[in-house]
Amino acid sequence: MIMHASLSYATLIQNPLLWAIAGVIILVAFYVRAVIGFGSGLISVALLTLIFPIKEVVPVVLLLDLLGSVLLGAYDFREMRWPELRWLIPGSLIGLAFGSFILADTNAQNLTRFLGVFILAYVCYALLMKPERLPQVALPWGMPLGIFGGVVGSLYGGGGPPIVAYLQMRHLDKRAFRATFQGIALTDNILRAFMYIALALLTWQLTVGFFLLIPPVLLGLWTGNRLHLRINQRTFLMGTLAVLAVVGLKYLI
């Protein structure tokens, strides 16, 4: 496996194999994002960091996720649940501020085991209870889980797990779940972009490299959305847990 390569435009354009590998990873990640509403950041970062430095992967994936959030959010706009966002967004803003500074000053890969334990613990709990029978939490739980999601999002490129747990325990249907997740993701993505620019994590070369990866994002979203519209609610819930379990195992290993 090629190690310590760069996600910059110059490197990708000169190394078609690296570009192709990155493109396949992005396509799969955004296929999953369209099917279950989240996971593109976590999957992309988990796999791309096997080849590229995490401090390049996270900013590029941020831009890709921003594009995905805009497209899916526009498609599902009428399905968004605004009361959930009123609690999730403030918490997420606090969390992403802490996470951005941690990413700038710390090797974030040393913190992945904690995230893996959290994810697997929630998956086991949800399977034991059955996802459709999870207890319904009150709206204010969106604040602490939003904070946790913001920190995770800054460190790993996707704050999915804590927010997924919250939205599942709010018992939203699949379209409302996906739409509401895009609302919080879009807010996080925009603010993280400004923070990454201020902290010199998002450079011009990485930004141009992002444009090379837009086609697999579009293909992944289009094909994944076709499946999302066909699956039933239980399959959707089990799919979210399956993706969480795979990501949790990856972070532990």
Side-chain angles (χ1 to χ4, degrees):
M1 181 67 69
I2 302 169
M3 301 296 293
H4 306 301
S6 174
L7 263 177
S8 67
Y9 171 83
T11 299
L12 293 180
I13 207 71
Q14 293 173 12
N15 294 272
L17 178 59
L18 280 180
W19 186 2
I21 293 172
V24 170
I25 291 172
I26 295 301
L27 189 154
V28 171
F30 280 86
Y31 178 85
V32 172
R33 171 75 172 268
V35 174
I36 63 173
F38 75 100
S40 57
L42 290 166
I43 294 171
S44 298
V45 172
L47 296 178
L48 289 174
T49 50
L50 297 175
I51 308 170
F52 306 97
I54 190 170
K55 288 190 177 182
E56 291 190 2
V57 169
V58 171
V60 172
V61 170
L62 161 69
L63 295 177
L64 297 171
D65 269 352
L66 177 58
L67 175 62
S69 297
V70 169
L71 295 176
L72 281 179
Y75 185 81
D76 286 337
F77 184 77
R78 293 185 178 180
E79 302 293 333
M80 285 189 186
R81 298 296 184 264
W82 300 103
E84 320 293 340
L85 294 175
R86 285 200 293 269
W87 289 94
L88 284 171
I89 289 176
S92 183
L93 299 183
I94 296 170
L96 72 89
F98 284 115
S100 294
F101 285 102
I102 292 172
L103 180 64
D105 297 329
T106 308
N107 182 358
Q109 288 172 311
N110 292 332
L111 306 175
T112 56
R113 285 190 178 86
F114 173 73
L115 178 59
V117 169
F118 170 82
I119 294 172
L120 292 178
Y122 172 73
V123 169
C124 290
Y125 171 72
L127 289 174
L128 181 65
M129 296 294 295
K130 296 187 177 179
E132 65 273 16
R133 296 181 182 177
L134 287 169
Q136 183 164 357
V137 298
L139 279 171
W141 274 99
M143 176 66 75
L145 289 173
I147 292 174
F148 190 13
V151 172
V152 171
S154 288
L155 294 179
Y156 306 108
I163 295 171
V164 167
Y166 171 76
L167 293 177
Q168 280 196 337
M169 288 189 285
R170 290 293 298 162
H171 294 277
L172 303 183
D173 64 62
K174 64 178 184 177
R175 285 292 298 278
F177 178 104
R178 189 174 76 167
T180 305
F181 191 93
Q182 306 320 305
I184 184 66
L186 181 58
T187 303
D188 283 1
N189 292 159
I190 292 172
L191 292 174
R192 281 169 55 208
F194 284 113
M195 288 186 173
Y196 287 3
I197 292 171
L199 295 169
L201 293 170
L202 184 56
T203 66
W204 175 248
Q205 276 289 324
L206 292 178
T207 302
V208 179
F210 146 77
F211 285 102
L212 296 177
L213 298 172
I214 288 178
V217 170
L218 300 179
L219 181 58
L221 291 177
W222 180 73
T223 54
N225 186 60
R226 291 169 64 86
L227 179 59
H228 174 82
L229 297 175
R230 295 176 182 176
I231 59 176
N232 60 37
Q233 182 69 12
R234 178 166 177 77
T235 301
F236 172 79
L237 291 172
M238 296 304 291
T240 61
L241 293 179
V243 172
L244 286 180
V246 170
V247 173
L249 287 171
K250 165 63 176 65
Y251 284 130
L252 278 183
I253 296 172

